[in-house]
Amino acid sequence: MAKLTKEQIIESLKEMSLLEVNDLVKAIETEFGVSAAAPVAAAAGPASGPAEAPTSVTVTLTDAGAQKVAIIKLFREITGLGLIEAKTAVEKTPAVVKENIKPEEAEEIKKKFEAAGAKVKVEA
């Protein structure tokens, strides 16, 4: 049997249905005694311990409180959205204020919203 190149194997996989590819993966696992899931877990790297702080977080407005006008103004100031977009987001909570920001910036945003009477959640 002639040795197949990676390109030839990939081309033949492109012609297979998902069911056929699934059967192929199972056959490879059985033949070589491996699991297709093992490399995925290894590629994820070591598990993070509880001592590690997140490097980026998301701030979400969960409740606008009684002072909606002030919250809409603050939402606009922080996000740069227009009046209509900010008003819609504040009225349809939960609404993401900012994503992938440093925890320090998230705490400042949280303080501003809480000072105005709103409730926010900071998540990794």
Side-chain angles (χ1 to χ4, degrees):
M1 176 185 238
K3 184 175 179 180
L4 298 174
T5 65
K6 286 187 252 182
E7 291 78 19
Q8 290 171 323
I9 294 171
I10 290 171
E11 285 303 314
S12 65
L13 287 173
K14 287 180 182 178
E15 295 174 9
M16 293 181 165
S17 70
L18 288 177
L19 186 58
E20 291 171 324
V21 172
N22 188 36
D23 289 342
L24 176 63
V25 169
K26 287 179 183 177
I28 291 171
E29 287 175 336
T30 303
E31 179 71 24
F32 296 105
V34 296
S35 172
V40 175
S48 303
E52 290 184 33
T55 57
S56 65
V57 295
T58 299
V59 178
T60 305
L61 177 67
T62 58
D63 183 17
Q67 303 294 324
K68 283 193 179 176
V69 173
I71 301 304
I72 292 169
K73 287 180 182 179
L74 184 57
F75 199 93
R76 286 185 67 201
E77 174 189 321
I78 292 171
T79 62
L81 292 175
L83 178 62
I84 301 297
E85 294 88 356
K87 181 179 182 288
T88 302
V90 169
E91 289 176 346
K92 294 183 180 179
T93 54
V96 174
V97 179
K98 274 202 163 181
E99 294 179 297
N100 300 324
I101 59 173
K102 294 182 180 179
E104 298 80 21
E105 183 182 356
E107 284 305 313
E108 291 299 318
I109 292 171
K110 181 179 178 180
K111 287 178 187 175
K112 288 179 182 180
F113 274 105
E114 288 177 345
K119 293 180 183 175
V120 295
K121 178 173 54 172
V122 178
E123 299 178 300

mmCIF file of all heavy atoms in Angstrom, residues 61 71-73 75-77 79-97:
data_model
loop_
_atom_site.group_PDB
_atom_site.id
_atom_site.type_symbol
_atom_site.label_atom_id
_atom_site.label_comp_id
_atom_site.label_asym_id
_atom_site.label_seq_id
_atom_site.Cartn_x
_atom_site.Cartn_y
_atom_site.Cartn_z
ATOM 1 N N LEU A 61 -24.439 44.905 33.583
ATOM 2 C CA LEU A 61 -25.457 45.619 34.344
ATOM 3 C C LEU A 61 -26.608 44.650 34.586
ATOM 4 O O LEU A 61 -27.195 44.123 33.648
ATOM 5 C CB LEU A 61 -25.948 46.839 33.554
ATOM 6 C CG LEU A 61 -27.067 47.667 34.179
ATOM 7 C CD1 LEU A 61 -26.566 48.367 35.442
ATOM 8 C CD2 LEU A 61 -27.574 48.697 33.177
ATOM 9 N N ILE A 71 -28.359 56.229 35.024
ATOM 10 C CA ILE A 71 -27.701 54.994 34.588
ATOM 11 C C ILE A 71 -27.506 55.009 33.077
ATOM 12 O O ILE A 71 -26.461 54.605 32.575
ATOM 13 C CB ILE A 71 -28.506 53.752 35.041
ATOM 14 C CG1 ILE A 71 -28.642 53.724 36.566
ATOM 15 C CG2 ILE A 71 -27.877 52.475 34.525
ATOM 16 C CD1 ILE A 71 -27.334 53.759 37.319
ATOM 17 N N ILE A 72 -28.498 55.499 32.336
ATOM 18 C CA ILE A 72 -28.369 55.590 30.872
ATOM 19 C C ILE A 72 -27.211 56.522 30.511
ATOM 20 O O ILE A 72 -26.394 56.209 29.641
ATOM 21 C CB ILE A 72 -29.694 56.062 30.230
ATOM 22 C CG1 ILE A 72 -30.761 54.976 30.380
ATOM 23 C CG2 ILE A 72 -29.497 56.411 28.758
ATOM 24 C CD1 ILE A 72 -32.169 55.405 30.020
ATOM 25 N N LYS A 73 -27.116 57.665 31.192
ATOM 26 C CA LYS A 73 -26.012 58.604 30.935
ATOM 27 C C LYS A 73 -24.669 57.945 31.229
ATOM 28 O O LYS A 73 -23.717 58.073 30.444
ATOM 29 C CB LYS A 73 -26.172 59.866 31.779
ATOM 30 C CG LYS A 73 -27.273 60.765 31.309
ATOM 31 C CD LYS A 73 -27.363 61.998 32.192
ATOM 32 C CE LYS A 73 -28.502 62.909 31.757
ATOM 33 N NZ LYS A 73 -28.613 64.094 32.622
ATOM 34 N N PHE A 75 -24.023 54.700 31.305
ATOM 35 C CA PHE A 75 -23.844 53.624 30.318
ATOM 36 C C PHE A 75 -23.294 54.203 29.018
ATOM 37 O O PHE A 75 -22.364 53.654 28.430
ATOM 38 C CB PHE A 75 -25.185 52.920 30.077
ATOM 39 C CG PHE A 75 -25.065 51.562 29.450
ATOM 40 C CD1 PHE A 75 -24.996 50.429 30.228
ATOM 41 C CD2 PHE A 75 -25.038 51.416 28.071
ATOM 42 C CE1 PHE A 75 -24.904 49.165 29.658
ATOM 43 C CE2 PHE A 75 -24.941 50.165 27.490
ATOM 44 C CZ PHE A 75 -24.865 49.034 28.288
ATOM 45 N N ARG A 76 -23.855 55.332 28.582
ATOM 46 C CA ARG A 76 -23.378 55.996 27.357
ATOM 47 C C ARG A 76 -21.935 56.447 27.505
ATOM 48 O O ARG A 76 -21.119 56.294 26.594
ATOM 49 C CB ARG A 76 -24.242 57.214 27.037
ATOM 50 C CG ARG A 76 -25.599 56.884 26.486
ATOM 51 C CD ARG A 76 -26.346 58.122 26.077
ATOM 52 N NE ARG A 76 -25.660 58.736 24.939
ATOM 53 C CZ ARG A 76 -25.792 59.996 24.585
ATOM 54 N NH1 ARG A 76 -26.570 60.809 25.273
ATOM 55 N NH2 ARG A 76 -25.159 60.463 23.542
ATOM 56 N N GLU A 77 -21.626 57.041 28.660
ATOM 57 C CA GLU A 77 -20.276 57.553 28.916
ATOM 58 C C GLU A 77 -19.245 56.426 28.842
ATOM 59 O O GLU A 77 -18.183 56.579 28.233
ATOM 60 C CB GLU A 77 -20.245 58.195 30.303
ATOM 61 C CG GLU A 77 -18.865 58.641 30.754
ATOM 62 C CD GLU A 77 -18.880 59.063 32.220
ATOM 63 O OE1 GLU A 77 -19.853 59.697 32.668
ATOM 64 O OE2 GLU A 77 -17.898 58.746 32.910
ATOM 65 N N THR A 79 -19.656 53.199 27.513
ATOM 66 C CA THR A 79 -19.650 52.373 26.300
ATOM 67 C C THR A 79 -19.454 53.161 25.017
ATOM 68 O O THR A 79 -19.049 52.601 24.007
ATOM 69 C CB THR A 79 -20.967 51.591 26.167
ATOM 70 O OG1 THR A 79 -22.049 52.518 26.045
ATOM 71 C CG2 THR A 79 -21.181 50.666 27.345
ATOM 72 N N GLY A 80 -19.805 54.443 25.032
ATOM 73 C CA GLY A 80 -19.718 55.236 23.814
ATOM 74 C C GLY A 80 -20.917 55.034 22.893
ATOM 75 O O GLY A 80 -20.903 55.484 21.751
ATOM 76 N N LEU A 81 -21.965 54.371 23.392
ATOM 77 C CA LEU A 81 -23.163 54.146 22.580
ATOM 78 C C LEU A 81 -23.997 55.413 22.479
ATOM 79 O O LEU A 81 -23.868 56.327 23.284
ATOM 80 C CB LEU A 81 -24.027 53.043 23.199
ATOM 81 C CG LEU A 81 -23.462 51.629 23.170
ATOM 82 C CD1 LEU A 81 -24.384 50.686 23.942
ATOM 83 C CD2 LEU A 81 -23.300 51.133 21.746
ATOM 84 N N GLY A 82 -24.886 55.436 21.510
ATOM 85 C CA GLY A 82 -25.826 56.533 21.361
ATOM 86 C C GLY A 82 -26.938 56.414 22.389
ATOM 87 O O GLY A 82 -27.063 55.411 23.093
ATOM 88 N N LEU A 83 -27.755 57.448 22.471
ATOM 89 C CA LEU A 83 -28.818 57.496 23.464
ATOM 90 C C LEU A 83 -29.795 56.337 23.329
ATOM 91 O O LEU A 83 -30.127 55.666 24.313
ATOM 92 C CB LEU A 83 -29.569 58.838 23.368
ATOM 93 C CG LEU A 83 -30.741 59.013 24.322
ATOM 94 C CD1 LEU A 83 -30.262 58.959 25.764
ATOM 95 C CD2 LEU A 83 -31.456 60.328 24.047
ATOM 96 N N ILE A 84 -30.259 56.067 22.120
ATOM 97 C CA ILE A 84 -31.252 55.004 21.905
ATOM 98 C C ILE A 84 -30.670 53.641 22.270
ATOM 99 O O ILE A 84 -31.326 52.844 22.964
ATOM 100 C CB ILE A 84 -31.743 55.001 20.429
ATOM 101 C CG1 ILE A 84 -32.358 56.349 20.056
ATOM 102 C CG2 ILE A 84 -32.718 53.853 20.184
ATOM 103 C CD1 ILE A 84 -33.596 56.714 20.834
ATOM 104 N N GLU A 85 -29.452 53.379 21.828
ATOM 105 C CA GLU A 85 -28.826 52.083 22.113
ATOM 106 C C GLU A 85 -28.610 51.899 23.603
ATOM 107 O O GLU A 85 -28.856 50.825 24.163
ATOM 108 C CB GLU A 85 -27.482 51.942 21.373
ATOM 109 C CG GLU A 85 -27.606 51.879 19.872
ATOM 110 C CD GLU A 85 -27.593 53.243 19.208
ATOM 111 O OE1 GLU A 85 -27.552 54.283 19.909
ATOM 112 O OE2 GLU A 85 -27.653 53.287 17.967
ATOM 113 N N ALA A 86 -28.134 52.953 24.274
ATOM 114 C CA ALA A 86 -27.892 52.878 25.718
ATOM 115 C C ALA A 86 -29.203 52.676 26.471
ATOM 116 O O ALA A 86 -29.280 51.861 27.393
ATOM 117 C CB ALA A 86 -27.183 54.137 26.198
ATOM 118 N N LYS A 87 -30.242 53.409 26.086
ATOM 119 C CA LYS A 87 -31.548 53.291 26.742
ATOM 120 C C LYS A 87 -32.095 51.882 26.576
ATOM 121 O O LYS A 87 -32.576 51.264 27.534
ATOM 122 C CB LYS A 87 -32.533 54.311 26.155
ATOM 123 C CG LYS A 87 -33.903 54.284 26.792
ATOM 124 C CD LYS A 87 -34.793 55.357 26.160
ATOM 125 C CE LYS A 87 -36.151 55.420 26.794
ATOM 126 N NZ LYS A 87 -37.019 54.314 26.490
ATOM 127 N N THR A 88 -31.994 51.332 25.378
ATOM 128 C CA THR A 88 -32.470 49.973 25.107
ATOM 129 C C THR A 88 -31.710 48.961 25.955
ATOM 130 O O THR A 88 -32.317 48.056 26.541
ATOM 131 C CB THR A 88 -32.312 49.637 23.612
ATOM 132 O OG1 THR A 88 -33.042 50.600 22.849
ATOM 133 C CG2 THR A 88 -32.826 48.247 23.299
ATOM 134 N N ALA A 89 -30.397 49.107 26.032
ATOM 135 C CA ALA A 89 -29.578 48.168 26.810
ATOM 136 C C ALA A 89 -29.933 48.232 28.286
ATOM 137 O O ALA A 89 -30.067 47.191 28.945
ATOM 138 C CB ALA A 89 -28.097 48.469 26.604
ATOM 139 N N VAL A 90 -30.103 49.433 28.827
ATOM 140 C CA VAL A 90 -30.415 49.597 30.246
ATOM 141 C C VAL A 90 -31.799 49.030 30.566
ATOM 142 O O VAL A 90 -32.001 48.427 31.618
ATOM 143 C CB VAL A 90 -30.302 51.084 30.662
ATOM 144 C CG1 VAL A 90 -30.874 51.317 32.047
ATOM 145 C CG2 VAL A 90 -28.846 51.535 30.598
ATOM 146 N N GLU A 91 -32.730 49.190 29.653
ATOM 147 C CA GLU A 91 -34.081 48.684 29.889
ATOM 148 C C GLU A 91 -34.173 47.168 29.757
ATOM 149 O O GLU A 91 -35.090 46.554 30.283
ATOM 150 C CB GLU A 91 -35.067 49.357 28.934
ATOM 151 C CG GLU A 91 -35.297 50.814 29.277
ATOM 152 C CD GLU A 91 -36.186 51.537 28.286
ATOM 153 O OE1 GLU A 91 -36.427 51.007 27.174
ATOM 154 O OE2 GLU A 91 -36.634 52.639 28.616
ATOM 155 N N LYS A 92 -33.254 46.566 29.046
ATOM 156 C CA LYS A 92 -33.279 45.119 28.834
ATOM 157 C C LYS A 92 -32.124 44.449 29.572
ATOM 158 O O LYS A 92 -31.318 43.757 28.961
ATOM 159 C CB LYS A 92 -33.219 44.794 27.344
ATOM 160 C CG LYS A 92 -34.429 45.252 26.585
ATOM 161 C CD LYS A 92 -34.345 44.852 25.140
ATOM 162 C CE LYS A 92 -35.587 45.319 24.397
ATOM 163 N NZ LYS A 92 -35.552 44.977 22.990
ATOM 164 N N THR A 93 -32.032 44.674 30.861
ATOM 165 C CA THR A 93 -30.958 44.062 31.638
ATOM 166 C C THR A 93 -31.193 42.560 31.748
ATOM 167 O O THR A 93 -32.341 42.129 31.717
ATOM 168 C CB THR A 93 -30.872 44.685 33.044
ATOM 169 O OG1 THR A 93 -32.139 44.595 33.662
ATOM 170 C CG2 THR A 93 -30.401 46.104 32.986
ATOM 171 N N PRO A 94 -30.182 41.740 31.842
ATOM 172 C CA PRO A 94 -28.777 42.097 31.974
ATOM 173 C C PRO A 94 -28.189 42.579 30.646
ATOM 174 O O PRO A 94 -28.540 42.073 29.593
ATOM 175 C CB PRO A 94 -28.117 40.802 32.410
ATOM 176 C CG PRO A 94 -29.007 39.715 31.920
ATOM 177 C CD PRO A 94 -30.396 40.290 31.912
ATOM 178 N N ALA A 95 -27.318 43.564 30.755
ATOM 179 C CA ALA A 95 -26.670 44.145 29.583
ATOM 180 C C ALA A 95 -25.171 44.238 29.834
ATOM 181 O O ALA A 95 -24.738 44.734 30.869
ATOM 182 C CB ALA A 95 -27.236 45.531 29.306
ATOM 183 N N VAL A 96 -24.384 43.777 28.890
ATOM 184 C CA VAL A 96 -22.933 43.838 29.013
ATOM 185 C C VAL A 96 -22.494 45.288 28.842
ATOM 186 O O VAL A 96 -22.834 45.942 27.864
ATOM 187 C CB VAL A 96 -22.241 42.938 27.972
ATOM 188 C CG1 VAL A 96 -20.740 43.124 28.001
ATOM 189 C CG2 VAL A 96 -22.607 41.489 28.214
ATOM 190 N N VAL A 97 -21.750 45.777 29.822
ATOM 191 C CA VAL A 97 -21.234 47.139 29.768
ATOM 192 C C VAL A 97 -19.912 47.136 29.019
ATOM 193 O O VAL A 97 -19.739 47.866 28.041
ATOM 194 C CB VAL A 97 -21.049 47.727 31.188
ATOM 195 C CG1 VAL A 97 -20.498 49.138 31.122
ATOM 196 C CG2 VAL A 97 -22.357 47.702 31.955
#
